[in-house]
Amino acid sequence: MADVSTSWIFVGSYSEPDKSGVHVVALDSTGRAAVHGGYSGVHNPSFLAAHPNGRHLYAVSEVGGRRGAVYVFDIEWTPPVPNLVIRGHRSTGGSSPCNLAIDRDGRWLVVTNYGTGEVVVFPILGDGGLGERVSSVQHSGSGPNSQRQEAPHPHSSAFDPSGGFLVVADLGTDELTVYGLDRESGGLAKHAVVRMRAGAGPRLVRFSPRGDLVGVVNELDNTLSLATWDSSRGAIDIVQTVPTLAVGFT
């Protein structure tokens, strides 16, 4: 009989601070999953990101009123179940942070404030903690959907494999913005803007494993876009957009 190995998954959710919001799930090599406890202390830890070294976990606190925050957990790999310990948190300076991105070297953490439209950069310290934010870029604009696109709503970001560029999907403005990252200071400089189809609502952006393609989930018009990525120019070119719903769906 083959040995059964286990992978550990950390799952975020919407929850009150006194309820378990971050959950630890074991996934074995046969495909069976089981929850092995949860952790409280964070209000609406909806999105999580693990440091490349596997020793730290970051969680947004997706709340409004410019009370958004990022929490830092240490991951203690103690058998039989990994343990999470809250280290502290930093204010994102905005409302409803909903996504995190960490560069390949684990030096910079980017937060998108969905509610107030900022893209914020924090330095990751040597011990995994977060320093004071070093950059905050305010998006502007709107889209044709008056209920969902009345203002900018940056929803997600992704570093390109080189670590020198950051792509941000803004659901509110139908734009992908490419920023150059100063890898020493953490500063962001606007490099290019790609307009998506009006009313598309780009929500999630991700690079392919090889780094030559970019996928974009468009929430509002239920489509998926595929683009090529030229790392030498920091250029995105949309090559295909397909529906995510069956023909005739009402």
Side-chain angles (χ1 to χ4, degrees):
M1 181 177 177
D3 291 337
V4 177
S5 59
T6 300
S7 298
W8 293 99
I9 302 170
F10 300 103
V11 181
S13 65
Y14 289 107
S15 68
E16 295 299 317
D18 60 342
K19 306 294 184 183
S20 294
V22 178
H23 307 275
V24 180
V25 177
L27 178 69
D28 70 28
S29 52
T30 70
R32 288 191 295 264
V35 177
H36 285 266
Y39 293 83
S40 60
V42 183
H43 193 184
N44 292 345
S46 61
F47 193 91
L48 313 176
H51 193 279
N53 66 18
R55 297 196 297 268
H56 313 289
L57 184 73
Y58 304 91
V60 301
S61 176
E62 189 177 338
V63 294
R66 291 195 177 273
R67 295 179 294 112
V70 182
Y71 280 74
V72 182
F73 291 85
D74 286 339
I75 305 174
E76 298 178 342
W77 293 101
T78 53
V81 179
N83 183 50
L84 298 179
V85 179
I86 291 182
R87 282 273 303 280
H89 68 278
R90 291 284 187 183
S91 168
T92 67
S95 173
S96 301
C98 65
N99 188 266
L100 301 169
I102 300 173
D103 75 312
R104 67 176 187 180
D105 297 324
R107 295 183 58 195
W108 305 105
L109 181 140
V110 175
V111 188
T112 47
N113 283 330
Y114 180 88
T116 43
E118 303 99 353
V119 180
V120 183
V121 183
F122 292 92
I124 299 176
L125 306 179
D127 63 357
L130 297 178
E132 295 283 351
R133 58 183 182 270
V134 295
S135 182
S136 180
V137 179
Q138 176 68 56
H139 281 200
S140 61
S142 59
N145 186 321
S146 60
Q147 292 184 324
R148 297 293 308 280
Q149 296 181 307
E150 81 295 345
H153 292 303
H155 202 295
S156 67
S157 64
F159 285 98
D160 85 312
S162 76
F165 291 102
L166 179 79
V167 180
V168 178
D170 195 311
L171 183 146
T173 64
D174 291 323
E175 293 175 334
L176 301 180
T177 302
V178 181
Y179 290 100
L181 174 76
D182 185 322
R183 299 180 70 179
E184 296 304 314
S185 71
L188 296 176
K190 186 180 290 186
H191 177 76
V193 177
V194 176
R195 292 289 302 174
M196 306 297 286
R197 187 160 59 188
R203 175 188 177 105
L204 184 68
V205 57
R206 286 291 182 267
F207 281 86
S208 66
R210 292 188 304 181
D212 57 341
L213 299 173
V214 176
V216 184
V217 175
N218 301 302
E219 177 179 339
L220 299 184
D221 72 354
N222 299 290
T223 60
L224 177 67
S225 295
L226 184 67
T228 58
W229 170 252
D230 185 336
S231 60
S232 65
R233 298 186 297 118
I236 294 176
D237 293 302
I238 304 295
V239 295
Q240 186 180 21
T241 297
V242 297
T244 59
L245 299 178
V247 175
F249 180 82
T250 57

mmCIF file of all heavy atoms in Angstrom, residues 167 176 178 192-196 207 212-216 225-231 233-241:
data_model
loop_
_atom_site.group_PDB
_atom_site.id
_atom_site.type_symbol
_atom_site.label_atom_id
_atom_site.label_comp_id
_atom_site.label_asym_id
_atom_site.label_seq_id
_atom_site.Cartn_x
_atom_site.Cartn_y
_atom_site.Cartn_z
ATOM 1 N N VAL A 167 0.724 43.751 -11.383
ATOM 2 C CA VAL A 167 -0.488 43.986 -12.166
ATOM 3 C C VAL A 167 -1.673 44.009 -11.215
ATOM 4 O O VAL A 167 -1.853 43.087 -10.416
ATOM 5 C CB VAL A 167 -0.690 42.900 -13.241
ATOM 6 C CG1 VAL A 167 -1.962 43.178 -14.046
ATOM 7 C CG2 VAL A 167 0.516 42.845 -14.174
ATOM 8 N N LEU A 176 -6.740 47.033 -16.042
ATOM 9 C CA LEU A 176 -5.570 46.377 -15.476
ATOM 10 C C LEU A 176 -4.456 47.416 -15.478
ATOM 11 O O LEU A 176 -4.111 47.954 -16.527
ATOM 12 C CB LEU A 176 -5.138 45.169 -16.316
ATOM 13 C CG LEU A 176 -6.136 44.033 -16.532
ATOM 14 C CD1 LEU A 176 -5.487 42.955 -17.387
ATOM 15 C CD2 LEU A 176 -6.623 43.469 -15.213
ATOM 16 N N VAL A 178 -0.521 48.226 -14.739
ATOM 17 C CA VAL A 178 0.805 47.655 -14.535
ATOM 18 C C VAL A 178 1.665 48.697 -13.823
ATOM 19 O O VAL A 178 1.820 49.828 -14.307
ATOM 20 C CB VAL A 178 1.461 47.260 -15.868
ATOM 21 C CG1 VAL A 178 2.844 46.634 -15.619
ATOM 22 C CG2 VAL A 178 0.575 46.294 -16.646
ATOM 23 N N ALA A 192 1.747 51.129 -17.189
ATOM 24 C CA ALA A 192 0.823 50.976 -18.318
ATOM 25 C C ALA A 192 -0.574 50.679 -17.776
ATOM 26 O O ALA A 192 -0.725 50.186 -16.653
ATOM 27 C CB ALA A 192 1.278 49.850 -19.251
ATOM 28 N N VAL A 193 -1.586 50.989 -18.605
ATOM 29 C CA VAL A 193 -2.976 50.695 -18.258
ATOM 30 C C VAL A 193 -3.620 49.973 -19.434
ATOM 31 O O VAL A 193 -3.507 50.415 -20.581
ATOM 32 C CB VAL A 193 -3.777 51.971 -17.930
ATOM 33 C CG1 VAL A 193 -5.236 51.628 -17.658
ATOM 34 C CG2 VAL A 193 -3.172 52.687 -16.731
ATOM 35 N N VAL A 194 -4.274 48.840 -19.160
ATOM 36 C CA VAL A 194 -4.989 48.079 -20.183
ATOM 37 C C VAL A 194 -6.476 48.184 -19.886
ATOM 38 O O VAL A 194 -6.928 47.845 -18.795
ATOM 39 C CB VAL A 194 -4.555 46.598 -20.176
ATOM 40 C CG1 VAL A 194 -5.370 45.794 -21.187
ATOM 41 C CG2 VAL A 194 -3.063 46.482 -20.463
ATOM 42 N N ARG A 195 -7.226 48.669 -20.864
ATOM 43 C CA ARG A 195 -8.672 48.777 -20.708
ATOM 44 C C ARG A 195 -9.331 47.462 -21.069
ATOM 45 O O ARG A 195 -9.132 46.911 -22.151
ATOM 46 C CB ARG A 195 -9.225 49.873 -21.624
ATOM 47 C CG ARG A 195 -8.815 51.275 -21.259
ATOM 48 C CD ARG A 195 -9.489 51.763 -20.001
ATOM 49 N NE ARG A 195 -10.944 51.731 -20.102
ATOM 50 C CZ ARG A 195 -11.757 52.010 -19.093
ATOM 51 N NH1 ARG A 195 -11.263 52.312 -17.906
ATOM 52 N NH2 ARG A 195 -13.067 51.963 -19.255
ATOM 53 N N MET A 196 -10.127 46.941 -20.133
ATOM 54 C CA MET A 196 -10.919 45.754 -20.403
ATOM 55 C C MET A 196 -12.249 46.186 -21.015
ATOM 56 O O MET A 196 -12.558 47.367 -21.114
ATOM 57 C CB MET A 196 -11.144 44.969 -19.114
ATOM 58 C CG MET A 196 -9.880 44.613 -18.367
ATOM 59 S SD MET A 196 -8.793 43.521 -19.287
ATOM 60 C CE MET A 196 -9.711 41.969 -19.133
ATOM 61 N N PHE A 207 -0.742 35.099 -12.924
ATOM 62 C CA PHE A 207 0.211 34.715 -13.952
ATOM 63 C C PHE A 207 0.263 33.201 -14.071
ATOM 64 O O PHE A 207 0.066 32.477 -13.088
ATOM 65 C CB PHE A 207 1.612 35.244 -13.602
ATOM 66 C CG PHE A 207 1.805 36.695 -13.905
ATOM 67 C CD1 PHE A 207 1.446 37.662 -12.973
ATOM 68 C CD2 PHE A 207 2.328 37.104 -15.116
ATOM 69 C CE1 PHE A 207 1.619 39.004 -13.237
ATOM 70 C CE2 PHE A 207 2.503 38.450 -15.400
ATOM 71 C CZ PHE A 207 2.152 39.402 -14.458
ATOM 72 N N ASP A 212 4.450 33.637 -18.853
ATOM 73 C CA ASP A 212 4.271 34.288 -20.151
ATOM 74 C C ASP A 212 2.810 34.607 -20.448
ATOM 75 O O ASP A 212 2.501 35.256 -21.452
ATOM 76 C CB ASP A 212 4.825 33.404 -21.266
ATOM 77 C CG ASP A 212 4.194 32.016 -21.303
ATOM 78 O OD1 ASP A 212 3.603 31.596 -20.281
ATOM 79 O OD2 ASP A 212 4.285 31.355 -22.348
ATOM 80 N N LEU A 213 1.893 34.165 -19.585
ATOM 81 C CA LEU A 213 0.468 34.401 -19.784
ATOM 82 C C LEU A 213 -0.142 34.992 -18.516
ATOM 83 O O LEU A 213 0.344 34.764 -17.410
ATOM 84 C CB LEU A 213 -0.268 33.104 -20.141
ATOM 85 C CG LEU A 213 0.157 32.388 -21.417
ATOM 86 C CD1 LEU A 213 -0.562 31.042 -21.526
ATOM 87 C CD2 LEU A 213 -0.135 33.244 -22.645
ATOM 88 N N VAL A 214 -1.223 35.744 -18.709
ATOM 89 C CA VAL A 214 -1.974 36.327 -17.598
ATOM 90 C C VAL A 214 -3.442 35.956 -17.772
ATOM 91 O O VAL A 214 -4.000 36.085 -18.869
ATOM 92 C CB VAL A 214 -1.834 37.867 -17.567
ATOM 93 C CG1 VAL A 214 -2.706 38.468 -16.471
ATOM 94 C CG2 VAL A 214 -0.380 38.268 -17.372
ATOM 95 N N GLY A 215 -4.043 35.468 -16.706
ATOM 96 C CA GLY A 215 -5.473 35.176 -16.721
ATOM 97 C C GLY A 215 -6.217 36.199 -15.879
ATOM 98 O O GLY A 215 -5.738 36.612 -14.820
ATOM 99 N N VAL A 216 -7.401 36.602 -16.351
ATOM 100 C CA VAL A 216 -8.205 37.599 -15.641
ATOM 101 C C VAL A 216 -9.643 37.094 -15.541
ATOM 102 O O VAL A 216 -10.272 36.804 -16.562
ATOM 103 C CB VAL A 216 -8.195 38.967 -16.355
ATOM 104 C CG1 VAL A 216 -8.957 39.997 -15.521
ATOM 105 C CG2 VAL A 216 -6.780 39.426 -16.633
ATOM 106 N N SER A 225 -10.606 36.229 -19.346
ATOM 107 C CA SER A 225 -9.722 36.755 -20.384
ATOM 108 C C SER A 225 -8.327 36.160 -20.241
ATOM 109 O O SER A 225 -7.836 35.951 -19.127
ATOM 110 C CB SER A 225 -9.628 38.283 -20.299
ATOM 111 O OG SER A 225 -10.867 38.895 -20.583
ATOM 112 N N LEU A 226 -7.700 35.900 -21.388
ATOM 113 C CA LEU A 226 -6.331 35.406 -21.442
ATOM 114 C C LEU A 226 -5.487 36.438 -22.168
ATOM 115 O O LEU A 226 -5.903 36.986 -23.202
ATOM 116 C CB LEU A 226 -6.270 34.074 -22.177
ATOM 117 C CG LEU A 226 -4.902 33.389 -22.233
ATOM 118 C CD1 LEU A 226 -4.471 32.933 -20.849
ATOM 119 C CD2 LEU A 226 -4.937 32.209 -23.198
ATOM 120 N N ALA A 227 -4.314 36.721 -21.631
ATOM 121 C CA ALA A 227 -3.427 37.721 -22.216
ATOM 122 C C ALA A 227 -2.003 37.190 -22.250
ATOM 123 O O ALA A 227 -1.633 36.312 -21.465
ATOM 124 C CB ALA A 227 -3.481 39.019 -21.407
ATOM 125 N N THR A 228 -1.215 37.727 -23.159
ATOM 126 C CA THR A 228 0.217 37.444 -23.164
ATOM 127 C C THR A 228 0.924 38.491 -22.312
ATOM 128 O O THR A 228 0.445 39.617 -22.143
ATOM 129 C CB THR A 228 0.796 37.465 -24.584
ATOM 130 O OG1 THR A 228 0.538 38.745 -25.183
ATOM 131 C CG2 THR A 228 0.158 36.382 -25.442
ATOM 132 N N TRP A 229 2.061 38.099 -21.766
ATOM 133 C CA TRP A 229 2.850 39.010 -20.932
ATOM 134 C C TRP A 229 4.271 39.077 -21.454
ATOM 135 O O TRP A 229 4.928 38.054 -21.633
ATOM 136 C CB TRP A 229 2.870 38.521 -19.483
ATOM 137 C CG TRP A 229 3.842 39.245 -18.601
ATOM 138 C CD1 TRP A 229 5.014 38.761 -18.095
ATOM 139 C CD2 TRP A 229 3.736 40.587 -18.123
ATOM 140 N NE1 TRP A 229 5.643 39.709 -17.323
ATOM 141 C CE2 TRP A 229 4.873 40.841 -17.316
ATOM 142 C CE3 TRP A 229 2.785 41.599 -18.282
ATOM 143 C CZ2 TRP A 229 5.085 42.082 -16.696
ATOM 144 C CZ3 TRP A 229 2.991 42.817 -17.656
ATOM 145 C CH2 TRP A 229 4.128 43.040 -16.864
ATOM 146 N N ASP A 230 4.735 40.292 -21.740
ATOM 147 C CA ASP A 230 6.104 40.523 -22.183
ATOM 148 C C ASP A 230 6.851 41.172 -21.027
ATOM 149 O O ASP A 230 6.677 42.360 -20.748
ATOM 150 C CB ASP A 230 6.105 41.435 -23.409
ATOM 151 C CG ASP A 230 7.491 41.633 -23.998
ATOM 152 O OD1 ASP A 230 8.480 41.464 -23.261
ATOM 153 O OD2 ASP A 230 7.596 41.970 -25.187
ATOM 154 N N SER A 231 7.677 40.388 -20.337
ATOM 155 C CA SER A 231 8.362 40.889 -19.143
ATOM 156 C C SER A 231 9.421 41.939 -19.474
ATOM 157 O O SER A 231 9.767 42.748 -18.616
ATOM 158 C CB SER A 231 8.996 39.733 -18.376
ATOM 159 O OG SER A 231 9.938 39.060 -19.181
ATOM 160 N N ARG A 233 9.066 44.348 -21.566
ATOM 161 C CA ARG A 233 8.405 45.644 -21.750
ATOM 162 C C ARG A 233 7.357 45.925 -20.694
ATOM 163 O O ARG A 233 6.814 47.029 -20.621
ATOM 164 C CB ARG A 233 7.734 45.700 -23.137
ATOM 165 C CG ARG A 233 8.666 45.578 -24.312
ATOM 166 C CD ARG A 233 7.942 45.782 -25.627
ATOM 167 N NE ARG A 233 6.921 44.765 -25.869
ATOM 168 C CZ ARG A 233 5.628 45.014 -26.001
ATOM 169 N NH1 ARG A 233 5.174 46.265 -25.896
ATOM 170 N NH2 ARG A 233 4.771 44.035 -26.232
ATOM 171 N N GLY A 234 7.041 44.937 -19.880
ATOM 172 C CA GLY A 234 5.957 45.104 -18.930
ATOM 173 C C GLY A 234 4.635 45.316 -19.642
ATOM 174 O O GLY A 234 3.825 46.168 -19.260
ATOM 175 N N ALA A 235 4.393 44.503 -20.682
ATOM 176 C CA ALA A 235 3.244 44.724 -21.559
ATOM 177 C C ALA A 235 2.283 43.555 -21.525
ATOM 178 O O ALA A 235 2.688 42.390 -21.608
ATOM 179 C CB ALA A 235 3.712 44.951 -22.995
ATOM 180 N N ILE A 236 0.988 43.870 -21.406
ATOM 181 C CA ILE A 236 -0.091 42.887 -21.452
ATOM 182 C C ILE A 236 -0.884 43.091 -22.725
ATOM 183 O O ILE A 236 -1.271 44.211 -23.059
ATOM 184 C CB ILE A 236 -1.043 43.045 -20.242
ATOM 185 C CG1 ILE A 236 -0.346 42.705 -18.945
ATOM 186 C CG2 ILE A 236 -2.264 42.150 -20.403
ATOM 187 C CD1 ILE A 236 -1.214 42.926 -17.720
ATOM 188 N N ASP A 237 -1.147 41.996 -23.441
ATOM 189 C CA ASP A 237 -1.993 42.043 -24.639
ATOM 190 C C ASP A 237 -3.070 40.973 -24.514
ATOM 191 O O ASP A 237 -2.772 39.782 -24.470
ATOM 192 C CB ASP A 237 -1.166 41.798 -25.908
ATOM 193 C CG ASP A 237 -0.190 42.926 -26.193
ATOM 194 O OD1 ASP A 237 -0.646 44.073 -26.337
ATOM 195 O OD2 ASP A 237 1.020 42.661 -26.256
ATOM 196 N N ILE A 238 -4.341 41.423 -24.458
ATOM 197 C CA ILE A 238 -5.465 40.492 -24.365
ATOM 198 C C ILE A 238 -5.616 39.761 -25.689
ATOM 199 O O ILE A 238 -5.686 40.384 -26.753
ATOM 200 C CB ILE A 238 -6.780 41.235 -24.036
ATOM 201 C CG1 ILE A 238 -6.631 42.055 -22.741
ATOM 202 C CG2 ILE A 238 -7.928 40.248 -23.919
ATOM 203 C CD1 ILE A 238 -6.411 41.245 -21.502
ATOM 204 N N VAL A 239 -5.649 38.420 -25.643
ATOM 205 C CA VAL A 239 -5.749 37.637 -26.878
ATOM 206 C C VAL A 239 -7.070 36.873 -26.983
ATOM 207 O O VAL A 239 -7.475 36.481 -28.071
ATOM 208 C CB VAL A 239 -4.573 36.645 -26.998
ATOM 209 C CG1 VAL A 239 -3.263 37.401 -27.141
ATOM 210 C CG2 VAL A 239 -4.520 35.681 -25.833
ATOM 211 N N GLN A 240 -7.764 36.670 -25.862
ATOM 212 C CA GLN A 240 -8.995 35.892 -25.920
ATOM 213 C C GLN A 240 -9.844 36.188 -24.687
ATOM 214 O O GLN A 240 -9.329 36.358 -23.581
ATOM 215 C CB GLN A 240 -8.677 34.389 -25.955
ATOM 216 C CG GLN A 240 -9.891 33.488 -26.158
ATOM 217 C CD GLN A 240 -9.505 32.012 -26.185
ATOM 218 O OE1 GLN A 240 -8.450 31.634 -25.690
ATOM 219 N NE2 GLN A 240 -10.356 31.180 -26.752
ATOM 220 N N THR A 241 -11.158 36.255 -24.892
ATOM 221 C CA THR A 241 -12.106 36.372 -23.791
ATOM 222 C C THR A 241 -13.246 35.401 -24.051
ATOM 223 O O THR A 241 -13.832 35.408 -25.135
ATOM 224 C CB THR A 241 -12.652 37.803 -23.657
ATOM 225 O OG1 THR A 241 -11.567 38.705 -23.344
ATOM 226 C CG2 THR A 241 -13.699 37.897 -22.552
#
